[in-house]
Amino acid sequence: MSARTLFFSFLIAGVLAAPLISAQDKKDAAKPNNARFGNPTDIGRKVQGDLYGVIKSVKEGEIVLDKTKFGVDQDIRLEPKTKYIRDGKSSTFDQLKVGDPVYVNLKTDKKTGVMTAKRVTSGVIAAP
């Protein structure tokens, strides 16, 4: 087989294989099917954008979170309208305890920077 024939054979093989290679890149990633643990992407969406922290102290109208993304303790104001969820069910302020890991859905006052909780989620996060 001559070098010229060999060159054209590789060229033709490359041209024919190119659409197959590009078609493989366009496939969607496999969705997790973990019946035992639930779908982690569904659970994560419930608390996406919420502030994670561990409760350091609980006072009437306020909680202080430790281990947040800010690196310092964060004071979170609680309102009468704040919703509490524990283990996927409606809960109350009284069930919050020091040391509980929580996700807090916040609204921040643009002028003062005060963070107020709209929802506090603790315990096991239930899948939809």
Side-chain angles (χ1 to χ4, degrees):
M1 195 183 247
S2 72
R4 187 175 182 171
T5 307
L6 189 61
F7 171 74
F8 283 117
S9 297
F10 282 117
L11 182 67
I12 291 171
V15 169
L16 293 175
L20 297 175
I21 293 170
S22 66
Q24 290 176 352
D25 293 340
K26 293 180 183 176
K27 290 183 181 177
D28 291 335
K31 293 185 179 182
N33 188 8
N34 302 339
R36 181 174 176 191
F37 299 111
N39 186 344
T41 58
D42 287 345
I43 294 169
R45 287 191 184 127
K46 286 187 167 192
V47 293
Q48 187 174 14
D50 290 2
L51 175 66
Y52 172 80
V54 177
I55 297 177
K56 187 172 184 177
S57 70
V58 179
K59 298 182 231 175
E60 190 64 36
E62 180 183 68
I63 59 174
V64 178
L65 297 183
D66 188 20
K67 302 180 183 176
T68 64
K69 67 180 179 180
F70 300 110
V72 295
D73 295 349
Q74 290 294 312
D75 299 333
I76 309 295
R77 184 183 295 174
L78 303 172
E79 295 181 332
K81 297 187 294 185
T82 302
K83 294 182 182 180
Y84 302 95
I85 299 171
R86 184 170 193 84
D87 297 329
K89 298 176 185 168
S90 184
S91 179
T92 62
F93 169 78
D94 300 334
Q95 292 186 345
L96 294 178
K97 296 181 181 97
V98 173
D100 282 349
V102 293
Y103 289 92
V104 183
N105 188 305
L106 298 169
K107 66 178 175 183
T108 305
D109 188 331
K110 293 180 182 179
K111 292 181 182 177
T112 62
V114 173
M115 292 185 270
T116 305
K118 295 192 287 186
R119 181 184 69 234
V120 179
T121 306
S122 62
V124 177
I125 301 169

